[in-house]
Amino acid sequence: MTQIVTRFAPSPTGHLHIGGARTALFNWLLARKLGGRFVLRIEDTDALRSTEEFTQAILSAMTWLNLDWDGEPVYQTRRLALHREYIDKMLSSGQAYWCHCKPEDLEERRQAALAAGGKPKYDGLCREKNLGPAPGAVVRFKGPEAGETGWTDLIKGPVVFDNRELDDLIILKSDGMPTYNLAVVVDDVTMNITHIVRGDDHVNNTPRQILLYKALGAALPQFAHVPMILGADKTRLSKRHGATSVMAYKEMGYLPQALNNYLARLGWSHGDQEIFSLDEMRELFDLSHVGRSAGVFNPEKLDWLNSHYIKETPPEALGELFWPYLEKKGYAKPDAETLVKITHTVRERGKTLVELADKAEFYFQELPPLDPKAATKFLTPDNQAMLLAMKDVLTKPLTAQGFEDLLRRLAEEKAVKLGAVAQPLRVALTGQTASPGLFEILDILGPEKNLKRIDAALAFRA
């Protein structure tokens, strides 16, 4: 049996976006499920827009998503001699020809065709002239002028195009660079790609590429065109719907396992199951379960998944994941035991790593800013008297349980409910009315910071 080979072929003209990441994921899953190879090919022939920065950004995004590729990345610009070799063969065999038509003449003839009710396709003027190379000339593929070209798509089913709708596409530009359709076919043929899984915005390219495969005498791969990802307004996902770059989601504090899980479910299903590890997806993935309808990006669903994976991450690992967001603010990293304690107090309180870092920031501030409404409500003269009494008993380090026992005793002595003791103290220690568990906070901050924050609260005047 022929080994399955899939590929992901991004152009380094921008960052890896959500749609591209899902395409990469589906190709990766298919190859890994069937014991095949997954190839990463950087299609960098757009010299004006391709940059090394974007190339590295794509590689970083793939690595962050844990989508490992087999072998070294393949760079299309390093294969230009091979592309030209295939073009020369097609010229020699009569399957391609030189075209000397000038762009302005082509446009004039296209407009005339439209005015006459025809198609704005190339009219074949140079098709049988047996021309040779010349300044400004291009090479065109001599496509069939009748019949149909079709394939059975692994997602869409049978797809057929009338060859009369397909003009003689350019395969070598006037600057000597091969065009996308030619380069991609030569690369897929010579790299033994067996399955091409890509967005359905490529459907119109596929009949042209199939004709090139046939002209080269190459076996056809199997094609699978994945529906697009739409925004909530059912238009193609774009920046107006929010972030579209994979690494933007990393910066916003999403975990790669959450993004992978979400992208897989944005078009693929396995019964009613919603949560999948990458290993589970690899075992269960099947193109036959990829839907034909466009997926609608739902940020709330991604938040829900991310929250799940945050809670599933061991505190030791989770602390290291959200710490960089605090480090950017200039805070000194605590010892490992303290960071784990802090993580325990915030892990249920945020949907992203950024939110966890924000919830934990008060631990590291010299004095957390007091919320004016909270301070006015809870740092009243009566409550400040209560804080003064607490100051006298919070002088020794205790465990969270020890602090709880101490404050409960104080509440009994003062004949008040625990909340009357806890809420002013919470505002004094965190600046807010909502926070992680108060007793854990007392333990983590320790006597010195606790007393310093109480002193600052005692100085508050509404």
Side-chain angles (χ1 to χ4, degrees), residues 40-217:
L40 177 61
R41 186 171 73 226
I42 306 297
E43 298 192 337
D44 54 349
T45 53
D46 186 339
L48 293 177
R49 297 169 59 218
S50 296
T51 69
E52 178 62 22
E53 177 188 356
F54 287 139
T55 297
Q56 292 305 316
I58 290 169
L59 297 179
S60 295
M62 293 286 288
T63 300
W64 180 67
L65 290 170
N66 296 307
L67 302 181
D68 60 315
W69 54 90
D70 295 305
E72 294 295 318
V74 176
Y75 293 87
Q76 201 168 55
T77 51
R78 300 175 189 176
R79 300 169 61 83
L80 295 179
L82 180 66
H83 303 150
R84 187 57 192 262
E85 178 185 327
Y86 273 80
I87 292 170
D88 289 342
K89 287 180 181 178
M90 294 174 72
L91 283 167
S92 298
S93 65
Q95 294 168 314
Y97 60 93
W98 286 99
C99 173
H100 292 189
C101 295
K102 295 179 179 180
E104 57 269 25
D105 293 337
L106 287 171
E107 183 58 28
E108 184 178 328
R109 298 197 319 256
R110 287 192 186 103
Q111 293 301 324
L114 280 171
K119 300 287 185 180
K121 55 183 284 189
Y122 180 63
D123 57 9
L125 182 65
C126 296
R127 185 178 171 104
E128 304 299 340
K129 288 187 176 181
N130 296 316
L131 299 172
V138 300
V139 175
R140 291 182 180 273
F141 171 62
K142 186 180 285 188
E145 297 180 290
E148 294 178 332
T149 297
W151 72 98
T152 300
D153 198 275
L154 295 176
I155 293 173
K156 292 182 171 298
V159 183
V160 177
F161 282 77
D162 187 331
N163 289 336
R164 290 173 297 180
E165 302 290 321
L166 310 174
D167 58 4
D168 288 356
L169 75 155
I170 296 172
I171 58 176
L172 184 73
K173 294 182 285 188
S174 59
D175 62 2
M177 292 293 287
T179 58
Y180 165 78
N181 280 307
L182 183 283
V184 75
V185 169
V186 171
D187 286 343
D188 287 338
V189 168
T190 55
M191 295 169 69
N192 300 311
I193 304 300
T194 63
H195 290 68
I196 296 176
V197 183
R198 58 189 180 187
D200 64 5
D201 54 332
H202 283 284
V203 165
N204 287 336
N205 286 324
T206 303
R208 296 174 168 86
Q209 292 173 9
I210 287 174
L211 291 173
L212 288 172
Y213 273 96
K214 292 179 177 179
L216 297 177

Side-chain angles (χ1 to χ4, degrees), residues 320 323 331-340 342 364:
E320 294 297 330
W323 174 252
Y331 297 117
K333 190 175 184 180
D335 61 75
E337 182 181 356
T338 301
L339 185 56
V340 169
I342 291 171
F364 303 95

